[in-house]
């Protein structure tokens, strides 16, 4: 009988103190009960293996406390870790993002892998690393060694992880291989001919890509589900010379997920373009579109699709817009108490201009959308002008600029005031015309939000001046500005504290005292954060309200450095300082603070 399904397992758990004597008796009793139930359900005549049901499954289903250790559940990971220590086999948690789909699916036949719960995940210098569930499955491993002429290094891994990854990878692999066969079959020539493929897709996609493309459909569906599952913000589908590379952006960093056969690239792109209602035949011009996805729990996510022709074909980038990320409570964005009060004074003003600055990907949209949602009431008409509309919200009237037919920020603004808006959000102020319309709107009693591409908050004043806006117009309409960046937050599952000398931090430009020792936090790296030590992101801010003194300075044409000094004297914490506060609070690391606030 397999070790994991015998009293030997209970011995290991008892010896490690993971179960008490009482729990041990309870487990044995429950296993008997569950077996009786199964026999009744499926008929006693059906031959069940004497060991059925699996002991590990029984223990996990009972959701026990770990021995006398309350609040720590005895889960599959804990059980397998204990077994690995007692058998002398290393324990391995697999990260699906770090696995090579070819090694997983092409080394061991599917049925064999699933039947014996084996998952090969790395091959180097003749050594095949295999995640296994049964620690005593030696003969099977010997067979693989002989058949493949390799040496196997086994690792112990929870069964549910092996099963999930196998079914996911083999499922995806099957879709891709089937599609590959279909598209590079004899009728289209055995060599991969992209032109022919595109022809094929074009013909069959007049209405809907024909049902024979089921494989591509499932592959694309899998891609979306997988991306949502991994909380990716972007999916890249990139044509390379000989393959199609799929990458996900997670917490700001790109991870390569799959390298697919080149033959399926055009079909995948065509499927995505179809879903986004783009012109599938048009491959030479960039196109933009969106896809709506229904998620479990009645939630909907939107995917913004952009296609661009590159050297080896069409590249698709998809931005996943999760309403839970875009619309947040203003209190959880990361404002300090002082900054929150200042920002509140902006959004409660009846009129004036509020500017949000920062580079692309600094979270400006989340701040603006969350703000608009907060102030949206039935009595208020909120109009947004965007390029393009990022996330649709029924409480706003959203207009997309369309430069091709001369519908621009300024042409819309010219007409919008007749629509009787109370609050206007302008996606970006890029030229004097737009800036002038914004000022005009603010002067006629509207609250205007917009973004500018500047590095810091105070520079927004200079940018408006550089666009050609009269200083007195700036000082009479601007309520204030904020700059923001996103820092990755420390993974709560592997956070640890460490000491660092003040003198080290001073060298990096942090406002600390040289003599002191500081206790900061960092993530050790665990499976939940893919070894990065970070999980999720939060914003850091610098924000200033336009004071009377500042207005005089602006009208007098003072240099930006002078105005910034005044803003700091009046209480503005800079991005670097705000980041440092978040480092001290254990939310992020000093390295991350350095990275995003480096000039
Ligand atoms: Zn972690």
């Amino acid at each position: 009988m397999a070790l994991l399904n015998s009293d030997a397992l209970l011995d290991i758990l008892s010896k490690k103190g993971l179960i008490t004597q009482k729990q041990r008796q309870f487990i044995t009793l429950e296993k008997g009960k569950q077996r009786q139930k199964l026999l009744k359900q499926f008929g006693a005549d059906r031959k069940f293996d004497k060991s059925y049901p699996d002991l590990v499954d029984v223990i996990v289903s009972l959701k026990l406390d770990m021995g006398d250790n309350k609040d720590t559940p005895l889960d599959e990971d804990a059980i397998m870790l204990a077994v690995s220590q007692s058998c002398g086999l290393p324990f391995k948690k697999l990260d699906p993002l770090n696995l090579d789909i070819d090694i997983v699916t092409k080394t061991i036949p599917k049925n064999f892998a699933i039947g014996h719960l084996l998952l090969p995940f790395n091959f180097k210098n003749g050594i095949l690393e295999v995640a296994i569930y049964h620690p005593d499955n030696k003969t099977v491993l010997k067979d693989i060694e002989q058949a493949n002429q390799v040496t196997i290094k086994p690792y112990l891994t929870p069964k549910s992880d092996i099963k999930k990854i196998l079914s996911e990878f083999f499922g995806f692999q099957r879709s891709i291989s089937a599609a590959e066969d279909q598209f590079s079959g004899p009728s289209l020539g055995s060599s991969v001919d992209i032109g022919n493929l595109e022809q094929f897709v074009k013909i069959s996609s007049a209405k809907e890509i024909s049902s024979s493309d089921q494989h591509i459909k499932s592959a694309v569906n899998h891609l979306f589900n997988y991306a949502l599952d991994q909380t990716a913000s972007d999916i890249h589908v990139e044509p390379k010379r000989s393959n199609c590379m799929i990458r996900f952006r997670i917490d700001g960093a790109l991870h390569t997920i799959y390298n697919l056969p080149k033959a399926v690239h055009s079909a995948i792109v065509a499927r995505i373009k179809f879903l986004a209602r783009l012109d599938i035949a048009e491959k030479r011009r960039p196109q933009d579109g969106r896809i709506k996805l229904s998620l479990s729990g009645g939630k909907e996510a939107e995917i913004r699709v952009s296609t661009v022709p590159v050297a080896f074909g069409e590249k698709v980038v998809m931005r996943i817009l999760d309403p839970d990320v875009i619309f947040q409570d203003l209190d959880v964005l990361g404002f300090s108490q002082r900054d929150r009060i200042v920002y509140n004074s902006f959004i409660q003003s009846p009129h004036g201009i509020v500017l949000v600055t920062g580079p692309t990907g600094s979270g400006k949209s989340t701040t603006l959308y969350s703000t608009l949602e907060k102030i949206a009431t039935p009595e208020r008409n909120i109009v947004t002008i965007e390029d393009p509309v990022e996330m649709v919200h029924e409480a706003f009237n959203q207009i997309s600029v369309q430069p091709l037919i001369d519908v621009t920020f300024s042409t819309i603004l010219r007409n919008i005031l007749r629509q009787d808006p109370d609050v206007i959000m302008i996606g970006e102020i890029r030229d004097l015309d737009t800036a002038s319309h914004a000022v005009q709107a603010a002067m006629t009693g509207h609250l205007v939000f917009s973004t500018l591409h500047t590095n810091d908050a105070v520079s927004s004043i200079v940018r408006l001046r550089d666009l050609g806006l009269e200083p007195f117009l700036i000082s009479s309409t601007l309520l204030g500005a904020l700059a923001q960046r996103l820092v990755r937050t420390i993974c709560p599952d592997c956070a640890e504290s460490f000491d660092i000398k003040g003198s080290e931090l001073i060298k990096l430009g942090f406002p600390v005292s040289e003599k002191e020792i500081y206790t900061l936090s960092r993530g050790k790296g665990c499976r939940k954060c893919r070894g990065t030590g970070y999980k999720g992101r939060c914003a850091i801010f610098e924000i200033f309200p336009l004071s009377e003194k500042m207005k005089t300075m602006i009208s007098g044409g003072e240099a930006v450095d002078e105005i910034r000094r005044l803003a700091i004297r009046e209480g503005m914490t800079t991005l670097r300082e705000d980041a440092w506060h978040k480092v001290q609070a254990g939310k992020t690391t000093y390295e991350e603070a350095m990275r995003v606030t480096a000039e």
Side-chain angles (χ1 to χ4, degrees):
M1 194 187 283
L3 178 142
L4 288 178
N5 206 7
S6 67
D7 283 350
L9 174 65
L10 296 177
D11 290 342
I12 292 172
L13 298 179
S14 303
K15 217 163 124 196
K16 293 246 168 222
L18 299 182
I19 52 172
T20 59
Q21 198 51 38
K22 224 168 151 188
Q23 284 175 327
R24 183 176 180 145
Q25 286 161 359
F26 180 59
I27 291 167
T28 314
L29 205 71
E30 279 299 313
K31 178 167 175 172
K33 268 197 211 157
Q34 290 192 11
R35 180 173 169 82
Q36 285 309 316
K37 210 163 140 197
L38 286 166
L39 287 174
K40 215 183 234 166
Q41 201 172 343
F42 295 104
D45 54 323
R46 242 190 82 189
K47 285 220 166 52
F48 277 118
D49 187 321
K50 221 175 100 200
S51 59
Y52 208 75
D54 186 71
L55 185 57
V56 175
D57 292 344
V58 172
I59 301 175
V60 173
S61 76
L62 296 177
K63 296 193 170 67
L64 301 172
D65 287 332
M66 216 186 265
D68 293 323
N69 196 350
K70 296 269 175 293
D71 305 328
T72 318
L74 181 58
D75 57 12
E76 215 186 335
D77 285 8
I79 297 171
M80 295 309 285
L81 186 62
V83 173
S84 89
Q85 285 162 353
S86 101
C87 305
L89 275 174
F91 177 74
K92 177 91 189 168
K93 271 305 257 186
L94 295 165
D95 177 356
L97 287 194
N98 285 335
L99 298 179
D100 181 333
I101 189 164
D102 280 351
I103 291 182
V104 175
T105 58
K106 291 183 179 161
T107 322
I108 300 177
K110 181 184 162 200
N111 289 337
F112 193 76
I114 291 173
H116 291 284
L117 293 166
L118 303 166
L119 192 146
F121 63 91
N122 196 17
F123 183 66
K124 224 193 229 161
N125 305 329
I127 295 173
L128 182 66
E129 295 188 302
V130 181
I132 62 171
Y133 171 64
H134 290 293
D136 41 6
N137 230 350
K138 303 257 158 56
T139 43
V140 173
L141 298 183
K142 278 257 152 14
D143 289 347
I144 304 172
E145 285 188 326
Q146 270 166 11
N148 294 285
Q149 292 299 308
V150 293
T151 308
I152 285 185
K153 183 166 167 38
Y155 293 82
L156 214 56
T157 296
K159 176 167 63 177
S160 54
D161 291 358
I162 296 184
K163 276 189 168 167
K164 186 166 177 241
I165 294 171
L166 283 179
S167 78
E168 215 161 59
F169 276 38
F170 275 113
F172 188 64
Q173 185 64 34
R174 198 171 49 233
S175 303
I176 291 300
S177 311
E180 192 186 9
D181 288 348
Q182 184 180 327
F183 285 113
S184 52
S187 62
L188 291 167
S190 51
S191 67
V192 177
D193 186 332
I194 301 303
N196 278 348
L197 270 177
E198 285 167 346
Q199 286 295 318
F200 182 84
V201 170
K202 200 165 113 191
I203 293 161
S204 60
S205 61
K207 240 167 67 210
E208 139 117 57
I209 297 178
S210 83
S211 58
S212 58
D213 291 316
Q214 191 54 44
H215 309 301
I216 289 295
K217 281 191 197 169
S218 4
V220 171
N221 276 350
H222 165 85
L223 212 56
F224 290 154
N225 284 326
Y226 196 34
L228 288 164
D229 197 41
Q230 301 293 330
T231 65
S233 60
D234 302 82
I235 307 174
H236 292 226
V237 181
E238 296 166 62
K240 300 288 173 197
R241 187 183 295 278
S242 56
N243 63 319
C244 160
M245 186 158 85
I246 308 242
R247 297 195 286 175
F248 288 174
R249 188 179 294 283
I250 303 167
D251 289 340
L254 275 174
H255 300 258
T256 301
I257 305 295
Y258 300 118
N259 271 310
L260 303 178
K262 179 84 178 207
V264 297
H265 177 79
S266 305
I268 287 185
V269 171
R271 174 70 187 160
I272 294 167
K273 285 166 83 176
F274 168 79
L275 290 172
R277 297 193 174 78
L278 300 179
D279 180 355
I280 295 171
E282 176 58 80
K283 287 180 287 276
R284 289 163 308 171
R285 270 186 240 281
Q287 295 188 66
D288 292 310
R290 49 180 71 229
I291 301 171
K292 230 180 175 58
L293 284 187
S294 302
L295 308 178
S296 56
K299 237 177 64 171
E300 278 185 334
E302 268 191 46
I303 297 184
R304 212 169 66 203
V305 181
S306 144
T307 69
V308 170
V310 294
F312 298 112
E314 262 185 297
K315 170 170 171 156
V316 179
V317 175
M318 289 175 277
R319 161 69 48 92
I320 300 174
L321 301 157
D322 183 342
D324 285 353
V325 175
I326 303 257
F327 297 103
Q328 294 193 41
D329 194 303
L330 290 179
D331 290 324
V332 303
L333 292 183
F335 283 114
S336 69
Q337 202 177 4
R338 178 260 174 195
D339 289 355
R340 182 76 177 87
I341 291 168
V342 173
Y343 193 61
N344 229 17
S345 74
F346 294 170
I347 66 180
Q348 284 170 352
S349 301
H351 53 83
I353 299 176
V354 180
L355 294 173
V356 178
T357 78
T360 310
S362 56
K364 299 190 296 270
S365 302
T366 297
T367 303
L368 285 174
Y369 275 126
S370 305
T371 303
L372 294 183
E373 192 183 44
K374 163 126 183 131
I375 60 179
T377 56
E379 300 83 47
R380 265 182 149 160
N381 181 10
I382 295 178
V383 176
T384 74
I385 308 163
E386 302 170 67
D387 181 18
V389 168
E390 193 155 318
M391 187 92 204
V392 179
H393 193 295
E394 56 187 13
F396 317 152
N397 299 291
Q398 293 167 285
I399 307 166
S400 202
V401 304
Q402 297 171 68
L404 285 181
I405 53 167
D406 203 33
V407 177
T408 62
F409 282 118
S410 61
T411 53
I412 298 171
L413 274 166
R414 210 170 294 150
N415 296 294
I416 204 71
L417 294 182
R418 282 178 228 133
Q419 288 271 324
D420 189 28
D422 298 296
V423 179
I424 306 170
M425 195 265 271
I426 306 167
E428 192 188 342
I429 294 179
R430 289 178 199 156
D431 49 43
L432 179 60
D433 218 18
T434 309
S436 307
H437 285 301
V439 164
Q440 205 182 354
M443 295 212 293
T444 49
H446 305 90
L447 184 57
V448 180
F449 292 91
S450 189
T451 72
L452 273 181
H453 271 276
T454 60
N455 279 334
D456 64 290
V458 177
S459 296
S460 57
I461 295 169
V462 185
R463 173 59 55 83
L464 290 179
R465 224 157 49 185
D466 289 350
L467 285 177
L469 206 60
E470 293 290 341
F472 78 93
L473 288 176
I474 302 173
S475 53
S476 59
T477 53
L478 190 65
L479 292 167
L482 71 89
Q484 70 173 87
R485 301 283 189 279
L486 291 177
V487 291
R488 290 183 290 168
T489 43
I490 296 172
C491 169
D493 287 296
C494 61
E496 62 174 11
S497 51
F498 68 101
D499 289 340
I500 183 166
K501 286 193 195 120
S503 53
E504 296 276 309
L505 291 166
I506 280 183
K507 273 188 240 156
L508 302 171
F510 290 107
V512 296
S513 97
E514 194 170 355
K515 297 266 178 296
E516 255 180 84
I517 303 277
Y518 291 84
T519 303
L520 304 179
S521 300
R522 64 185 167 207
K524 271 200 295 268
C526 67
R527 179 174 172 269
K528 290 206 171 140
C529 58
R530 297 187 184 82
T532 59
Y534 296 102
K535 204 162 183 215
R537 293 190 286 180
C538 85
I540 53 167
F541 294 101
E542 68 177 29
I543 179 167
F544 72 91
L546 214 63
S547 65
E548 286 308 315
K549 246 191 201 157
M550 212 175 276
K551 286 179 186 172
T552 321
M553 283 181 114
I554 294 171
S555 302
E558 287 273 5
V560 64
D561 288 340
E562 287 301 321
I563 306 174
R564 187 177 299 123
R565 268 194 278 279
L566 176 67
I568 292 170
R569 272 204 304 280
E570 291 179 343
M572 180 178 85
T573 44
T574 62
L575 283 172
R576 175 66 61 88
E577 282 165 351
D578 193 38
W580 171 242
H581 292 153
K582 280 166 180 116
V583 171
Q584 280 184 303
K587 275 193 187 149
T588 190
T589 61
Y590 74 86
E591 289 98 337
E592 189 66 4
M594 290 290 300
R595 184 179 70 83
V596 303
T597 59
E599 289 304 311

